[in-house]
Amino acid sequence: MALSNLKAVPLTLAQANHYVSILHRHHKPCVGHKFSIGCINDDHKIVGVCIAGRPVSASTNQEWVLEVSRLATDSTPNACSFLYGAAARAAKALGYVSIQTFILESEPGTSLRASGWKSTHKTRGSSSFHKGRRDDDTSIRVIDTLGSKTKWVRELNNTQIKPINEMMVGFEDKEMNEWL
């Protein structure tokens, strides 16, 4: 199927998470999002979903960077590239400076490369912390569940990064709280 035969549709988080729970190979559904996009084919069947939200890492700028946290397809050709491109265009339209995602080191990133993203660096695998099962219950085990990942980024808007609250000049606290 050609890329031009695919179309984007808006999805709720619940709709996107339902698809993720069925088709994603190694992640569970997301807790939150900024937006979710579905990809439909000529038969109006959803063939993939993309969930985008705030970056997971607290050290990443939460106001100006968006993160694709889940992307799942039914293996329809070009659906991944289509969704990564659609997410980047939506993020750009919303004023984000960049969009990022992390993929397993074992994944080649072909769809990301095809949609204009750049590989930046490798990261350590994610870890989960569990209390031990000893009598004193004080030991902690670290379990590497997914292995190393590669960070991919697409720059979107060449803007001066400034905190949103600094752009709210002239608003009184009460007015700003009502607006937000």
Side-chain angles (χ1 to χ4, degrees):
M1 174 170 289
L3 194 62
S4 61
N5 292 338
L6 300 173
K7 304 242 181 317
V9 294
L11 296 176
T12 66
L13 180 60
Q15 292 166 328
N17 271 336
H18 177 72
Y19 198 92
V20 166
S21 69
I22 294 168
L23 286 179
H24 203 283
R25 290 175 284 152
H26 55 82
H27 275 305
K28 294 178 181 177
C30 291
V31 174
H33 77 153
K34 297 283 187 172
F35 61 82
S36 294
I37 302 171
C39 175
I40 61 171
N41 63 13
D42 288 336
D43 297 327
H44 298 271
K45 176 188 172 214
I46 293 180
V47 297
V49 299
C50 174
I51 300 174
R54 66 170 184 76
V56 173
S57 171
S59 65
T60 301
N61 187 306
Q62 302 286 310
E63 293 179 335
W64 296 106
V65 178
L66 193 71
E67 184 168 309
V68 171
S69 52
R70 302 288 187 276
L71 192 134
T73 73
D74 66 358
S75 298
T76 295
N78 303 314
C80 287
S81 298
F82 177 85
L83 286 164
Y84 279 125
R89 288 188 299 278
K92 183 174 182 165
L94 290 169
Y96 287 95
V97 173
S98 65
I99 188 168
Q100 67 183 27
T101 195
F102 294 84
I103 64 171
L104 296 179
E105 193 173 21
S106 60
E107 298 171 318
T110 306
S111 296
L112 287 156
R113 193 173 293 108
S115 53
W117 296 54
K118 306 279 185 233
S119 170
T120 61
H121 66 278
K122 300 209 182 302
T123 65
R124 292 186 316 238
S126 64
S127 300
S128 53
F129 298 87
H130 301 280
K131 282 195 166 211
R133 295 181 186 246
R134 294 188 186 147
D135 291 338
D136 62 359
D137 209 30
T138 57
S139 65
I140 294 179
R141 293 179 293 150
V142 177
I143 301 169
D144 184 354
T145 56
L146 298 175
S148 297
K149 296 180 182 176
T150 304
K151 180 178 179 181
W152 289 76
V153 174
R154 183 165 168 188
E155 300 299 328
L156 304 171
N157 292 303
N158 192 9
T159 343
Q160 179 73 28
I161 298 177
K162 193 175 193 180
I164 296 291
N165 61 352
E166 289 182 20
M167 296 182 204
M168 303 299 292
V169 176
F171 283 89
E172 307 252 339
D173 285 345
K174 180 181 175 194
E175 292 173 350
M176 186 173 178
N177 288 335
E178 289 173 8
W179 183 76
L180 293 174

